[in-house]
Amino acid sequence: MYSRVPVVAADSGGPRETVVHAKSGYLCEHDATDFADAVSRVLAAPETQWREMGAYGRERVVQHFSLDAYAQNIEAVICDMLETPTSVSAVMGILLTLFIVCTSATLYLCATYL
């Protein structure tokens, strides 16, 4: 989506969260025929339509899934946690979660930019 190209993906997991059906691409069943039909729809669409889908997908990625959006979401979670009284075990859980998130972000950045 970041490349401004409509996406065809299975309607489950991450794609269900990221792809907006018929706006940034097509979600299809775990079926080769359904997948082929969705690819055919993209290829048969007028250039203006798939360019609009690509632009919508790019904007969605930038707004919701960019590094800046990720950092803002983490910041919001941390602020919420700091405003809520918690027990020691809850704080340990929060610290473990932050460690996992930071490790994941570091691995993502290394994989993306190295």
Short mmCIF file of all heavy atoms in Angstrom, two decimals, residues 58-109:
data_model
loop_
_atom_site.label_atom_id
_atom_site.label_comp_id
_atom_site.label_asym_id
_atom_site.label_seq_id
_atom_site.Cartn_x
_atom_site.Cartn_y
_atom_site.Cartn_z
N ARG A 58 -1.86 4.43 0.30
CA ARG A 58 -0.65 5.13 0.76
C ARG A 58 -1.00 6.05 1.93
O ARG A 58 -0.32 6.09 2.95
CB ARG A 58 -0.05 5.92 -0.41
CG ARG A 58 1.01 6.93 -0.07
CD ARG A 58 2.28 6.27 0.43
NE ARG A 58 3.29 7.27 0.72
CZ ARG A 58 4.46 7.33 0.15
NH1 ARG A 58 4.80 6.46 -0.77
NH2 ARG A 58 5.31 8.26 0.48
N GLU A 59 -2.08 6.83 1.77
CA GLU A 59 -2.49 7.75 2.84
C GLU A 59 -2.84 6.99 4.12
O GLU A 59 -2.50 7.41 5.21
CB GLU A 59 -3.67 8.60 2.36
CG GLU A 59 -4.08 9.67 3.34
CD GLU A 59 -2.99 10.70 3.61
OE1 GLU A 59 -2.15 10.95 2.73
OE2 GLU A 59 -2.97 11.25 4.73
N ARG A 60 -3.49 5.85 3.96
CA ARG A 60 -3.86 5.04 5.13
C ARG A 60 -2.60 4.54 5.86
O ARG A 60 -2.54 4.58 7.08
CB ARG A 60 -4.73 3.86 4.69
CG ARG A 60 -5.18 2.98 5.83
CD ARG A 60 -6.36 2.15 5.42
NE ARG A 60 -6.65 1.14 6.42
CZ ARG A 60 -7.22 1.37 7.59
NH1 ARG A 60 -7.59 2.60 7.91
NH2 ARG A 60 -7.45 0.39 8.45
N VAL A 61 -1.62 4.09 5.11
CA VAL A 61 -0.37 3.62 5.72
C VAL A 61 0.31 4.76 6.47
O VAL A 61 0.76 4.60 7.61
CB VAL A 61 0.58 3.03 4.65
CG1 VAL A 61 1.98 2.85 5.19
CG2 VAL A 61 0.04 1.72 4.13
N VAL A 62 0.40 5.92 5.83
CA VAL A 62 1.08 7.06 6.45
C VAL A 62 0.35 7.49 7.73
O VAL A 62 0.98 7.76 8.75
CB VAL A 62 1.20 8.23 5.46
CG1 VAL A 62 1.65 9.50 6.13
CG2 VAL A 62 2.17 7.85 4.33
N GLN A 63 -0.98 7.53 7.68
CA GLN A 63 -1.76 7.98 8.84
C GLN A 63 -1.77 6.98 9.98
O GLN A 63 -1.73 7.36 11.15
CB GLN A 63 -3.20 8.28 8.44
CG GLN A 63 -3.36 9.56 7.70
CD GLN A 63 -4.82 9.86 7.41
OE1 GLN A 63 -5.71 9.05 7.67
NE2 GLN A 63 -5.08 11.02 6.86
N HIS A 64 -1.85 5.69 9.66
CA HIS A 64 -2.10 4.69 10.70
C HIS A 64 -0.93 3.75 10.99
O HIS A 64 -0.87 3.16 12.07
CB HIS A 64 -3.31 3.83 10.34
CG HIS A 64 -4.57 4.62 10.21
ND1 HIS A 64 -5.27 5.10 11.29
CD2 HIS A 64 -5.24 5.04 9.11
CE1 HIS A 64 -6.33 5.77 10.87
NE2 HIS A 64 -6.33 5.75 9.56
N PHE A 65 -0.02 3.57 10.05
CA PHE A 65 0.99 2.52 10.21
C PHE A 65 2.42 3.00 10.01
O PHE A 65 3.33 2.18 9.94
CB PHE A 65 0.69 1.35 9.27
CG PHE A 65 -0.70 0.82 9.45
CD1 PHE A 65 -1.70 1.11 8.53
CD2 PHE A 65 -1.04 0.06 10.55
CE1 PHE A 65 -2.99 0.64 8.69
CE2 PHE A 65 -2.33 -0.41 10.73
CZ PHE A 65 -3.31 -0.12 9.80
N SER A 66 2.63 4.29 9.93
CA SER A 66 3.99 4.80 9.78
C SER A 66 4.71 4.76 11.13
O SER A 66 4.10 4.55 12.18
CB SER A 66 3.97 6.24 9.25
OG SER A 66 3.44 7.11 10.24
N LEU A 67 5.99 5.01 11.09
CA LEU A 67 6.76 5.03 12.33
C LEU A 67 6.25 6.14 13.26
O LEU A 67 6.17 5.95 14.47
CB LEU A 67 8.24 5.23 12.02
CG LEU A 67 9.22 4.96 13.14
CD1 LEU A 67 9.03 3.60 13.76
CD2 LEU A 67 10.65 5.12 12.65
N ASP A 68 5.89 7.29 12.70
CA ASP A 68 5.34 8.38 13.51
C ASP A 68 4.03 7.97 14.18
O ASP A 68 3.81 8.23 15.36
CB ASP A 68 5.12 9.64 12.66
CG ASP A 68 6.41 10.33 12.28
OD1 ASP A 68 7.44 10.12 12.98
OD2 ASP A 68 6.40 11.08 11.29
N ALA A 69 3.13 7.35 13.41
CA ALA A 69 1.86 6.90 13.97
C ALA A 69 2.10 5.85 15.05
O ALA A 69 1.45 5.87 16.11
CB ALA A 69 0.97 6.33 12.87
N TYR A 70 3.04 4.96 14.80
CA TYR A 70 3.39 3.93 15.78
C TYR A 70 3.88 4.57 17.07
O TYR A 70 3.44 4.21 18.17
CB TYR A 70 4.46 3.03 15.16
CG TYR A 70 4.87 1.84 15.98
CD1 TYR A 70 4.02 0.76 16.16
CD2 TYR A 70 6.12 1.79 16.58
CE1 TYR A 70 4.40 -0.34 16.90
CE2 TYR A 70 6.51 0.68 17.32
CZ TYR A 70 5.65 -0.37 17.48
OH TYR A 70 6.02 -1.46 18.22
N ALA A 71 4.78 5.55 16.95
CA ALA A 71 5.31 6.24 18.13
C ALA A 71 4.21 6.98 18.89
O ALA A 71 4.16 6.96 20.12
CB ALA A 71 6.41 7.22 17.71
N GLN A 72 3.29 7.62 18.16
CA GLN A 72 2.18 8.33 18.81
C GLN A 72 1.28 7.35 19.56
O GLN A 72 0.82 7.66 20.67
CB GLN A 72 1.38 9.12 17.78
CG GLN A 72 2.12 10.32 17.25
CD GLN A 72 1.39 11.00 16.10
OE1 GLN A 72 0.32 10.56 15.67
NE2 GLN A 72 1.97 12.07 15.58
N ASN A 73 1.03 6.19 18.97
CA ASN A 73 0.20 5.18 19.64
C ASN A 73 0.88 4.67 20.91
O ASN A 73 0.23 4.51 21.94
CB ASN A 73 -0.10 4.01 18.70
CG ASN A 73 -1.07 4.38 17.61
OD1 ASN A 73 -1.83 5.34 17.74
ND2 ASN A 73 -1.03 3.66 16.51
N ILE A 74 2.18 4.42 20.83
CA ILE A 74 2.92 3.96 22.01
C ILE A 74 2.89 5.04 23.09
O ILE A 74 2.68 4.76 24.27
CB ILE A 74 4.38 3.59 21.64
CG1 ILE A 74 4.41 2.41 20.69
CG2 ILE A 74 5.21 3.32 22.90
CD1 ILE A 74 3.80 1.14 21.24
N GLU A 75 3.10 6.29 22.68
CA GLU A 75 3.07 7.40 23.64
C GLU A 75 1.71 7.49 24.33
O GLU A 75 1.63 7.67 25.55
CB GLU A 75 3.38 8.71 22.93
CG GLU A 75 3.38 9.91 23.85
CD GLU A 75 3.63 11.22 23.11
OE1 GLU A 75 3.57 11.26 21.87
OE2 GLU A 75 3.88 12.22 23.81
N ALA A 76 0.64 7.33 23.56
CA ALA A 76 -0.71 7.39 24.14
C ALA A 76 -0.92 6.26 25.15
O ALA A 76 -1.50 6.47 26.22
CB ALA A 76 -1.76 7.32 23.03
N VAL A 77 -0.45 5.07 24.82
CA VAL A 77 -0.59 3.92 25.74
C VAL A 77 0.19 4.18 27.02
O VAL A 77 -0.31 3.95 28.13
CB VAL A 77 -0.11 2.62 25.06
CG1 VAL A 77 0.04 1.49 26.07
CG2 VAL A 77 -1.06 2.22 23.95
N ILE A 78 1.42 4.68 26.89
CA ILE A 78 2.24 4.97 28.08
C ILE A 78 1.57 6.03 28.94
O ILE A 78 1.50 5.90 30.16
CB ILE A 78 3.66 5.40 27.66
CG1 ILE A 78 4.40 4.21 27.05
CG2 ILE A 78 4.44 5.95 28.86
CD1 ILE A 78 5.71 4.56 26.39
N CYS A 79 1.06 7.10 28.32
CA CYS A 79 0.39 8.16 29.08
C CYS A 79 -0.83 7.62 29.82
O CYS A 79 -1.06 7.94 30.98
CB CYS A 79 -0.01 9.31 28.16
SG CYS A 79 1.40 10.28 27.60
N ASP A 80 -1.60 6.76 29.15
CA ASP A 80 -2.76 6.14 29.80
C ASP A 80 -2.34 5.29 30.99
O ASP A 80 -2.97 5.32 32.05
CB ASP A 80 -3.55 5.28 28.81
CG ASP A 80 -4.35 6.10 27.82
OD1 ASP A 80 -4.50 7.33 28.03
OD2 ASP A 80 -4.83 5.51 26.83
N MET A 81 -1.26 4.55 30.82
CA MET A 81 -0.78 3.69 31.90
C MET A 81 -0.30 4.52 33.09
O MET A 81 -0.51 4.15 34.24
CB MET A 81 0.33 2.77 31.41
CG MET A 81 -0.16 1.69 30.48
SD MET A 81 1.10 0.48 30.03
CE MET A 81 2.24 1.46 29.07
N LEU A 82 0.35 5.63 32.81
CA LEU A 82 0.87 6.47 33.89
C LEU A 82 -0.23 7.17 34.67
O LEU A 82 -0.07 7.50 35.84
CB LEU A 82 1.86 7.50 33.33
CG LEU A 82 3.16 6.93 32.79
CD1 LEU A 82 4.00 8.03 32.15
CD2 LEU A 82 3.95 6.24 33.89
N GLU A 83 -1.37 7.40 34.02
CA GLU A 83 -2.49 8.08 34.67
C GLU A 83 -3.34 7.11 35.49
O GLU A 83 -4.15 7.54 36.31
CB GLU A 83 -3.37 8.77 33.63
CG GLU A 83 -2.67 9.94 32.97
CD GLU A 83 -3.48 10.54 31.83
OE1 GLU A 83 -4.59 10.04 31.54
OE2 GLU A 83 -2.99 11.51 31.23
N THR A 84 -3.17 5.82 35.30
CA THR A 84 -3.99 4.81 35.97
C THR A 84 -3.20 4.18 37.11
O THR A 84 -2.10 3.68 36.90
CB THR A 84 -4.39 3.71 34.97
OG1 THR A 84 -5.02 4.32 33.85
CG2 THR A 84 -5.32 2.70 35.61
N PRO A 85 -3.75 4.22 38.34
CA PRO A 85 -3.05 3.56 39.46
C PRO A 85 -2.96 2.06 39.18
O PRO A 85 -3.93 1.43 38.77
CB PRO A 85 -3.94 3.83 40.66
CG PRO A 85 -5.02 4.73 40.22
CD PRO A 85 -4.99 4.83 38.74
N THR A 86 -1.76 1.48 39.41
CA THR A 86 -1.57 0.07 39.11
C THR A 86 -0.79 -0.62 40.23
O THR A 86 -0.11 0.01 41.01
CB THR A 86 -0.77 -0.11 37.80
OG1 THR A 86 0.46 0.61 37.92
CG2 THR A 86 -1.53 0.42 36.61
N SER A 87 -0.91 -1.93 40.25
CA SER A 87 -0.16 -2.73 41.22
C SER A 87 1.24 -3.00 40.68
O SER A 87 1.53 -2.74 39.52
CB SER A 87 -0.88 -4.05 41.45
OG SER A 87 -0.85 -4.82 40.26
N VAL A 88 2.10 -3.55 41.52
CA VAL A 88 3.47 -3.86 41.11
C VAL A 88 3.47 -4.86 39.97
O VAL A 88 4.21 -4.73 39.01
CB VAL A 88 4.29 -4.38 42.32
CG1 VAL A 88 5.64 -4.88 41.88
CG2 VAL A 88 4.43 -3.29 43.37
N SER A 89 2.62 -5.88 40.05
CA SER A 89 2.59 -6.89 38.98
C SER A 89 2.12 -6.27 37.66
O SER A 89 2.61 -6.63 36.59
CB SER A 89 1.71 -8.07 39.36
OG SER A 89 0.39 -7.65 39.58
N ALA A 90 1.20 -5.33 37.75
CA ALA A 90 0.74 -4.65 36.53
C ALA A 90 1.87 -3.81 35.94
O ALA A 90 2.05 -3.77 34.71
CB ALA A 90 -0.47 -3.78 36.83
N VAL A 91 2.63 -3.14 36.78
CA VAL A 91 3.77 -2.34 36.30
C VAL A 91 4.79 -3.25 35.63
O VAL A 91 5.33 -2.92 34.57
CB VAL A 91 4.42 -1.54 37.46
CG1 VAL A 91 5.73 -0.92 37.03
CG2 VAL A 91 3.46 -0.47 37.95
N MET A 92 5.06 -4.42 36.21
CA MET A 92 6.00 -5.36 35.59
C MET A 92 5.48 -5.82 34.23
O MET A 92 6.24 -5.94 33.28
CB MET A 92 6.23 -6.56 36.51
CG MET A 92 6.95 -6.21 37.81
SD MET A 92 8.53 -5.39 37.54
CE MET A 92 9.47 -6.72 36.83
N GLY A 93 4.19 -6.05 34.14
CA GLY A 93 3.59 -6.42 32.86
C GLY A 93 3.74 -5.31 31.83
O GLY A 93 4.03 -5.57 30.65
N ILE A 94 3.54 -4.08 32.28
CA ILE A 94 3.69 -2.93 31.39
C ILE A 94 5.13 -2.82 30.91
O ILE A 94 5.39 -2.61 29.71
CB ILE A 94 3.25 -1.63 32.12
CG1 ILE A 94 1.73 -1.66 32.32
CG2 ILE A 94 3.68 -0.39 31.34
CD1 ILE A 94 1.23 -0.61 33.30
N LEU A 95 6.08 -2.97 31.82
CA LEU A 95 7.49 -2.89 31.44
C LEU A 95 7.86 -3.99 30.46
O LEU A 95 8.60 -3.75 29.50
CB LEU A 95 8.38 -2.93 32.68
CG LEU A 95 8.31 -1.71 33.59
CD1 LEU A 95 9.13 -1.95 34.85
CD2 LEU A 95 8.78 -0.47 32.86
N LEU A 96 7.36 -5.19 30.67
CA LEU A 96 7.62 -6.28 29.75
C LEU A 96 7.02 -5.98 28.38
O LEU A 96 7.67 -6.19 27.35
CB LEU A 96 7.06 -7.60 30.31
CG LEU A 96 7.24 -8.83 29.43
CD1 LEU A 96 8.73 -9.08 29.17
CD2 LEU A 96 6.60 -10.04 30.07
N THR A 97 5.81 -5.46 28.36
CA THR A 97 5.17 -5.09 27.10
C THR A 97 5.98 -4.03 26.37
O THR A 97 6.20 -4.13 25.16
CB THR A 97 3.73 -4.58 27.35
OG1 THR A 97 3.00 -5.61 28.01
CG2 THR A 97 3.04 -4.19 26.07
N LEU A 98 6.44 -3.02 27.09
CA LEU A 98 7.25 -1.97 26.47
C LEU A 98 8.54 -2.54 25.91
O LEU A 98 8.99 -2.15 24.83
CB LEU A 98 7.54 -0.85 27.47
CG LEU A 98 6.35 0.03 27.84
CD1 LEU A 98 6.75 1.00 28.95
CD2 LEU A 98 5.84 0.77 26.63
N PHE A 99 9.15 -3.46 26.63
CA PHE A 99 10.37 -4.09 26.15
C PHE A 99 10.11 -4.84 24.84
O PHE A 99 10.86 -4.72 23.88
CB PHE A 99 10.92 -5.06 27.21
CG PHE A 99 12.08 -5.88 26.71
CD1 PHE A 99 13.34 -5.30 26.58
CD2 PHE A 99 11.91 -7.20 26.35
CE1 PHE A 99 14.41 -6.04 26.12
CE2 PHE A 99 12.96 -7.96 25.88
CZ PHE A 99 14.22 -7.37 25.76
N ILE A 100 9.02 -5.58 24.79
CA ILE A 100 8.67 -6.32 23.57
C ILE A 100 8.40 -5.37 22.42
O ILE A 100 8.85 -5.58 21.30
CB ILE A 100 7.46 -7.25 23.84
CG1 ILE A 100 7.88 -8.36 24.81
CG2 ILE A 100 6.90 -7.83 22.54
CD1 ILE A 100 6.73 -9.16 25.36
N VAL A 101 7.66 -4.30 22.70
CA VAL A 101 7.35 -3.32 21.65
C VAL A 101 8.63 -2.67 21.13
O VAL A 101 8.83 -2.55 19.92
CB VAL A 101 6.37 -2.24 22.18
CG1 VAL A 101 6.29 -1.06 21.25
CG2 VAL A 101 4.99 -2.86 22.39
N CYS A 102 9.52 -2.27 22.02
CA CYS A 102 10.77 -1.63 21.59
C CYS A 102 11.63 -2.60 20.81
O CYS A 102 12.24 -2.22 19.80
CB CYS A 102 11.53 -1.10 22.80
SG CYS A 102 10.72 0.32 23.56
N THR A 103 11.68 -3.85 21.23
CA THR A 103 12.45 -4.86 20.50
C THR A 103 11.86 -5.07 19.12
O THR A 103 12.59 -5.13 18.13
CB THR A 103 12.47 -6.19 21.29
OG1 THR A 103 13.00 -5.94 22.59
CG2 THR A 103 13.29 -7.24 20.58
N SER A 104 10.54 -5.16 19.04
CA SER A 104 9.88 -5.33 17.74
C SER A 104 10.16 -4.16 16.83
O SER A 104 10.44 -4.33 15.64
CB SER A 104 8.37 -5.50 17.92
OG SER A 104 8.09 -6.63 18.68
N ALA A 105 10.07 -2.95 17.37
CA ALA A 105 10.33 -1.75 16.56
C ALA A 105 11.76 -1.73 16.07
O ALA A 105 12.03 -1.39 14.92
CB ALA A 105 10.02 -0.49 17.37
N THR A 106 12.70 -2.12 16.91
CA THR A 106 14.12 -2.15 16.52
C THR A 106 14.34 -3.17 15.41
O THR A 106 15.02 -2.89 14.42
CB THR A 106 15.00 -2.48 17.73
OG1 THR A 106 14.76 -1.51 18.75
CG2 THR A 106 16.47 -2.49 17.36
N LEU A 107 13.77 -4.35 15.54
CA LEU A 107 13.90 -5.37 14.51
C LEU A 107 13.28 -4.90 13.19
O LEU A 107 13.82 -5.12 12.11
CB LEU A 107 13.26 -6.67 14.97
CG LEU A 107 13.97 -7.40 16.11
CD1 LEU A 107 13.14 -8.57 16.59
CD2 LEU A 107 15.35 -7.85 15.67
N TYR A 108 12.12 -4.25 13.29
CA TYR A 108 11.46 -3.72 12.09
C TYR A 108 12.36 -2.71 11.39
O TYR A 108 12.55 -2.76 10.18
CB TYR A 108 10.12 -3.09 12.47
CG TYR A 108 9.52 -2.28 11.35
CD1 TYR A 108 8.87 -2.89 10.30
CD2 TYR A 108 9.61 -0.89 11.35
CE1 TYR A 108 8.34 -2.15 9.25
CE2 TYR A 108 9.08 -0.14 10.31
CZ TYR A 108 8.45 -0.77 9.27
OH TYR A 108 7.91 -0.04 8.27
N LEU A 109 12.91 -1.78 12.16
CA LEU A 109 13.77 -0.75 11.57
C LEU A 109 15.02 -1.36 10.94
O LEU A 109 15.43 -0.97 9.85
CB LEU A 109 14.16 0.29 12.62
CG LEU A 109 13.01 1.18 13.10
CD1 LEU A 109 13.48 2.04 14.26
CD2 LEU A 109 12.50 2.05 11.96
#
